[in-house]
Amino acid sequence: MKKTPFLFLWLQFKSAFLLLPKLFFTLFASLFLAGGIYFAGTEILQKPDSIKLPIALVLPEHDTYAQMAFTFLEHSVKDICSFTQTDKEHAISLLKSKNVYAVILVPENFIEHILNGTNSAATLLLPKENSLESILFCTLANAGVSYLSTAQAGIYAAEDTLISYEKWESLAKVQEELNKRYLSYPLNRNKIFQTKTISATGSLSLANYYICSGIVLLSLLTGISQYHYFRAESKELLLLLNRQGLSFFFLLLSKLLAITGIYVLLFFPILIFAKLLPIASLGGFFIYTFTIQSFLLLLSAICPQPGNYSTLSAFLSILFLFLSGAFIPSVFLPEPLRQLGQFLPSALFIKLFQELLTHTFSLLSALQGILMGILFLLLSTFLYKNQKGALL
């Protein structure tokens, strides 16, 4: 009698082992879908070459200050704009042919007028058709104008203060020093902005991010072939198990442990061979697989027919993973969808495997996976009891 639970568990392992042909078939069929998601994702998020807006610049001849100032400006915005110095007629022809996005016409003594407050305006020519590039350049130009006006306001305030205290001898020195300091900010953007790289894929590289998504999707889709395994027992067999003192909970737990063990034996060596996971992550991978299989067990308990189960498991797997940011990183999703995706079980599936990939699998994550698996197991037990009758 004491050996009955262990014997039954062993029989479940043997029964799960017979699923291997189906698992291999669904694995290879799912690889096409997972591969498509990987290549589509890398195409979407592939870092493009630096976007540089071609700008035609017309400077006054023999204006040394203008040449020096715009050389410095060109260096400060080199990652965004590329300037071509030319004459007015050629610049306008480039704009009409859409070879440049804007033309800047700089008047005589432009820099001197900025310094003395005359403020001769430069002329900015844009194409008739609005474009994203034109809007971006206008934003940069408006920001530059704002910086310059702020600098001039500061200089005027300092001059007025010196004049009110009759510090005439300090005017020239203060003007020179303030001009130097203020102009260094609008002409050198690095003093204003601090660059911080933010990745939509977190600590994972783009490739590992979609490898993770693909493996989680494969883990879910290969469960399509497990419906008959989860619901194999007839009423007569259930009555026999009841006489042996085996509960419905133990029956489903045995199935869950058996199918989890088979999945680990099948997939874990492949992941080690591919150098995605180390041998030390065996325990974490078992918990990850256990959590996913408990979710599939719950879906089998919900569906009375195998066709319903196949459709529902495939649909929910793709939908849940999409909402959790597996296909498109969640930062690109609308806020309501992003919030919803955080509460779906797929969010935990992705988190567990991402931590396995980055070797950061924690005790907290393990407890979360086990608790979610037990919750799904309890819900499955309740549903199966209602469907089969209280035989166990």
Side-chain angles (χ1 to χ4, degrees), residues 190-204:
N190 292 331
K191 289 188 176 182
I192 301 175
F193 300 109
Q194 180 179 5
T195 302
K196 182 179 180 181
T197 303
I198 300 176
S199 173
T201 60
S203 59
L204 291 174

Side-chain angles (χ1 to χ4, degrees), residues 200 209 322-326 328-335 337-338 342:
Y209 183 85
F322 172 77
L323 294 175
S324 298
I328 301 175
S330 56
V331 294
F332 298 121
L333 297 177
E335 182 64 24
L337 296 182
R338 186 160 64 246
Q342 294 177 356

Side-chain angles (χ1 to χ4, degrees), residues 1-13 237-247 250-251 254 392:
M1 183 69 179
K2 293 182 180 181
K3 295 182 179 180
T4 302
F6 299 100
L7 178 61
F8 182 75
L9 182 60
W10 171 245
L11 291 175
Q12 289 300 328
F13 270 101
L237 180 57
L238 292 176
L239 286 172
L240 179 60
L241 295 175
N242 185 31
R243 293 170 185 166
Q244 296 297 320
L246 299 181
S247 66
F250 180 79
L251 167 65
S254 300
L392 291 179

Side-chain angles (χ1 to χ4, degrees), residues 200-218:
T201 60
S203 59
L204 291 174
S205 66
L206 184 65
N208 282 341
Y209 183 85
Y210 280 103
I211 286 174
C212 173
S213 299
I215 290 176
V216 174
L217 179 63
L218 283 175

Side-chain angles (χ1 to χ4, degrees), residues 125-242:
L125 302 179
L126 297 170
K128 291 182 179 180
E129 302 84 5
N130 288 329
S131 65
L132 180 62
E133 292 80 4
S134 299
I135 295 173
L136 174 58
F137 184 74
C138 283
T139 303
L140 292 173
N142 290 333
V145 171
S146 176
Y147 296 147
L148 288 173
S149 63
T150 302
Q152 285 186 319
I155 294 172
Y156 295 155
E159 288 179 347
D160 290 342
T161 302
L162 291 173
I163 291 172
S164 66
Y165 285 95
E166 298 183 353
K167 299 289 185 180
W168 310 104
E169 70 282 356
S170 301
L171 276 175
K173 182 179 180 181
V174 170
Q175 287 175 349
E176 181 182 356
E177 182 63 27
L178 287 178
N179 275 315
K180 185 189 302 182
R181 292 194 179 191
Y182 275 122
L183 289 177
S184 68
Y185 283 94
L187 294 180
N188 187 357
R189 305 299 176 89
N190 292 331
K191 289 188 176 182
I192 301 175
F193 300 109
Q194 180 179 5
T195 302
K196 182 179 180 181
T197 303
I198 300 176
S199 173
T201 60
S203 59
L204 291 174
S205 66
L206 184 65
N208 282 341
Y209 183 85
Y210 280 103
I211 286 174
C212 173
S213 299
I215 290 176
V216 174
L217 179 63
L218 283 175
S219 301
L220 289 167
L221 292 183
T222 50
I224 293 176
S225 61
Q226 297 168 197
Y227 180 82
H228 292 292
Y229 170 74
F230 286 138
R231 303 178 65 102
E233 287 73 21
S234 62
K235 289 186 177 181
E236 292 75 14
L237 180 57
L238 292 176
L239 286 172
L240 179 60
L241 295 175
N242 185 31

Side-chain angles (χ1 to χ4, degrees), residues 302-315:
I302 294 173
C303 300
Q305 298 295 331
N308 297 339
Y309 169 77
S310 300
T311 303
L312 183 65
S313 61
F315 174 75

Side-chain angles (χ1 to χ4, degrees), residues 55-59 70 73 83-84 86 91 102-107 110 122-125 137 141:
I55 308 298
L57 181 63
V58 181
L59 294 176
F70 280 97
L73 175 63
F83 293 95
T84 301
T86 182
V103 173
I104 302 176
L105 303 177
V106 180
F110 181 69
T123 303
L124 180 61
L125 302 179
F137 184 74

